[in-house]
Amino acid sequence: MTSTHGHHEAGYGQPTGTGERRNGFGIAALVLGIVGALLFWTAIGGIVLGLLAVIFGVLGFRRSRRGVATNGTMAIIGAVLGALALVVSSVLLAMGVAVVNSDEFKDYQDCIEHASSQSDRQDCARDFDREARPPSSSPGSPWWSGARRPR
């Protein structure tokens, strides 16, 4: 918009500084961080999207520190959400690999392959649950609770 003195004025929705604001990295970080946090239970959702959110968040924050972008807080929130998704998804992946590579799981697979009926398969699952459960937990509680058996 041109004023009566021939100078350009910033219109509605246009940046008022000397250069155009570049907020794409911050927005991308936030979107990827939210989607990664919602899909943390998948390797692609948590690890890949979380890592991308961290990268875009850092880039977006650096742009805001230089004054090129105005959404530094958005970039940081996206990076934090992405980092949380990345960490939780990595831990879940490590736990899954540990279970699949365990001797108890290999015994379970062997048992299932040789089971001839649904009842035999249920016995395999019950045996796997009993073998995989730590000795300190009671039969009615989940294995991760660490509940003690009544004496």
Side-chain angles (χ1 to χ4, degrees):
M1 191 192 256
T2 306
S3 70
T4 56
H5 300 291
H7 298 351
H8 290 284
E9 296 176 7
Y12 180 73
Q14 294 178 351
T16 58
T18 58
E20 178 126 357
R21 300 289 183 225
R22 297 170 56 196
N23 291 327
F25 283 154
I27 294 168
L30 186 61
V31 170
L32 290 170
I34 290 171
V35 174
L38 292 174
L39 298 176
F40 73 91
W41 49 273
T42 66
I44 291 190
I47 295 174
V48 174
L49 296 180
L51 182 62
L52 288 173
V54 169
I55 291 168
F56 284 129
V58 169
L59 292 173
F61 181 72
R62 290 178 67 194
R63 276 188 178 176
S64 73
R65 296 280 309 257
R66 290 192 322 256
V68 178
T70 59
N71 61 350
T73 303
M74 183 185 294
I76 290 297
I77 292 170
V80 168
L81 286 173
L84 289 173
L86 178 65
V87 168
V88 173
S89 187
S90 297
V91 168
L92 288 175
L93 181 63
M95 288 173 50
V97 168
V99 167
V100 168
N101 289 331
S102 70
D103 290 336
E104 292 85 1
F105 189 75
K106 290 178 180 140
D107 292 343
Y108 171 73
Q109 284 181 314
D110 187 48
C111 182
I112 289 292
E113 287 175 7
H114 294 94
S116 59
S117 68
Q118 181 63 29
S119 175
D120 290 342
R121 286 187 281 281
Q122 288 174 345
D123 289 340
C124 293
R126 207 168 311 128
D127 290 343
F128 174 69
D129 185 46
R130 187 174 42 251
E131 290 175 9
R133 184 181 306 278
S136 63
S137 62
S138 62
S141 64
W143 63 267
W144 61 84
S145 72
R148 301 281 180 204
R149 290 184 190 171
R151 292 184 180 196

